[in-house]
Every structure is written in structure tokens, then in C-alpha cells.
């Protein structure tokens, strides 16, 4: 954490004069948006259109990997949260666990990055990225994370999404090759 990190945190952290609508938006984003993102992905994975189901499972796998990686990094690095250092205002009760990187922001970016890799209109991509940015901002605004915690989380989330998507693509290509090879060998054996 640097002086710039602290300065940006204090600028983004909500103060006592914050309008209740802004505070309620931050609280909603932190407390409910993660559940909505996961529930939406799970619903699409289970009952969505056939073409969307596979992508929804990859989104869920990306989220799981991002949260797991964020947890491991927190255990290894042990950087304190702002309120444990007496900085800013903490608007939401939280344990004094390490804060780097933010699991919420990692999850949100994994969701958005993975979902955005699917073919969809640009407006939908903007909405998904907006949700990730809103959730990430709320963690700083409520005094729970430094900006560096969120930036690192975005890297973890985006890397998780890219890794899951690449592995899924390689797996699908391998199955397609095997299927083609089996079909080719089957047709060759019928001719003989």
C-alpha cells in the first residue's frame, strides 16, 4: 500500500455527509449483487438456452477459481484492511481478516470477464462490466478495501476467466477432434 493508495481510498470512501441513496447503493452492491450474479449464472447454467448453458458453467467455474485464488493470496500476503489501520469510515461490520485482494471484486470481475467472452451485444457487455465496477467500488466506498486490493482482484478475476475459458476451449476442441477421428475411422471400417 502506498500513499497514493491511501489518498485514493480516502477520496472514494463514503463520508458522514454522503447522501443515503449513495450509501444504500453501495450497501446493496456489496450485500446483494454477488448473490444475484451467482444465482443468475446458475439459473442460466441449469435452465437457460442450450447455447448459453456451457458459457454459464464456465462463468461459475471462473468465479470459483477467482475466489479460491483471492483466498490463497490473502493467506499468503496478509495486507490489512483500511479500518484496521484507523483509516476512513467503515460502513459495514467486517472481520479483521487480510484484505488483499478483494474476494468480492475478484468474483465480480471473473463473472464479467467470463460472461463478456460469450457472443452478446455490446450493451449487455457494458451492463456486466458496470455491475463488476459497482461491486468493486462499493468495497472501497464502504471502507472495507484499499484501491490496490480491488485492482489486484480485477487481475485475479480476469486471469481466472481467461484460464477457465482457454481450458474449456481446448477441451471442446479435443472432443471435436476425437469425434471427427472416430467418425472418420468408423466410415473407413465400413468401407473395408
Amino acid at each position: 500500500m502506498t500513499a497514493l493508495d491511501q489518498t485514493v481510498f480516502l477520496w472514494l470512501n463514503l463520508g458522514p455527509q454522503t447522501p443515503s441513496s449513495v450509501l444504500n447503493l453501495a450497501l446493496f452492491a456489496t450485500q446483494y449483487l454477488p448473490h444475484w450474479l451467482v444465482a443468475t449464472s446458475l439459473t442460466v447454467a441449469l435452465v437457460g438456452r442450450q447455447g448459453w448453458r456451457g458459457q454459464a458453467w464456465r462463468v461459475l467455474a471462473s468465479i470459483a477459481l477467482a475466489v479460491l485464488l483471492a483466498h490463497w493470496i490473502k493467506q499468503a500476503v496478509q495486507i490489512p484492511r483500511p479500518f484496521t489501520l484507523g483509516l476512513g469510515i467503515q460502513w459495514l461490520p467486517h472481520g479483521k481478516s487480510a484484505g488483499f485482494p478483494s474476494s468480492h471484486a475478484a468474483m465480480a470481475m471473473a463473472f464479467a470477464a467470463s460472461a463478456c467472452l460469450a457472443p452478446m451485444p455490446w450493451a449487455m457487455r457494458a451492463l456486466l462490466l458496470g455491475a463488476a465496477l459497482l461491486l468493486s467500488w462499493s468495497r472501497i466506498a464502504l471502507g472495507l478495501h484499499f484501491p490496490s486490493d480491488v485492482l489486484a482482484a480485477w487481475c485475479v478475476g480476469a486471469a481466472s476467466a481467461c484460464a477457465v475459458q482457454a481450458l474449456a476451449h481446448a477441451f471442446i476442441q479435443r472432443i471435436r477432434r476425437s469425434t471427427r477421428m472416430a467418425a472418420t475411422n468408423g466410415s473407413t471400417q465400413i468401407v473395408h
Side-chain angles (χ1 to χ4, degrees):
M1 161 191 28
T2 65
L4 176 61
D5 201 22
Q6 288 183 24
T7 301
V8 174
F9 165 76
L10 292 171
W11 180 65
L12 292 173
N13 181 229
L14 301 179
Q17 306 304 324
T18 299
S20 62
S21 59
V22 174
L23 178 58
N24 288 334
L25 177 63
L27 288 168
F28 167 81
T30 283
Q31 294 176 316
Y32 300 107
L33 194 53
H35 304 293
W36 280 98
L37 299 179
V38 172
T40 301
S41 300
L42 187 57
T43 300
V44 172
L46 295 174
V47 297
R49 286 189 208 171
Q50 186 61 32
W52 293 2
R53 288 182 189 171
Q55 181 63 20
W57 284 113
R58 290 188 288 277
V59 168
L60 290 167
S62 299
I63 289 170
L65 179 59
V67 170
L68 189 62
L69 288 174
H71 176 74
W72 285 341
I73 295 168
K74 280 182 189 186
Q75 298 308 308
V77 177
Q78 294 288 316
I79 294 177
R81 293 175 185 270
F83 61 85
T84 62
L85 301 174
L87 294 172
I89 297 174
Q90 179 187 357
W91 290 96
L92 192 66
H94 199 288
K96 294 183 179 183
S97 61
F100 180 89
S102 165
S103 297
H104 283 77
M107 174 274 218
M109 188 51 71
F111 167 84
S114 189
C116 285
L117 290 172
M120 67 179 65
W122 67 267
M124 182 60 78
R125 284 190 175 105
L127 180 67
L128 297 174
L129 288 171
L133 292 173
L134 176 64
L135 179 52
S136 298
W137 161 79
S138 75
R139 303 304 288 174
I140 301 167
L142 295 172
L144 303 174
H145 285 285
F146 285 108
S148 60
D149 301 343
V150 169
L151 291 175
W154 287 350
C155 294
V156 168
S160 297
C162 289
V164 167
Q165 292 290 344
L167 287 172
H169 180 74
F171 181 73
I172 290 167
Q173 293 304 318
R174 185 175 183 153
I175 287 179
R176 286 181 181 159
R177 278 194 305 274
S178 297
T179 303
R180 280 193 302 257
M181 215 182 289
T184 303
N185 288 341
S187 65
T188 305
Q189 290 174 356
I190 293 173
V191 172
H192 291 290

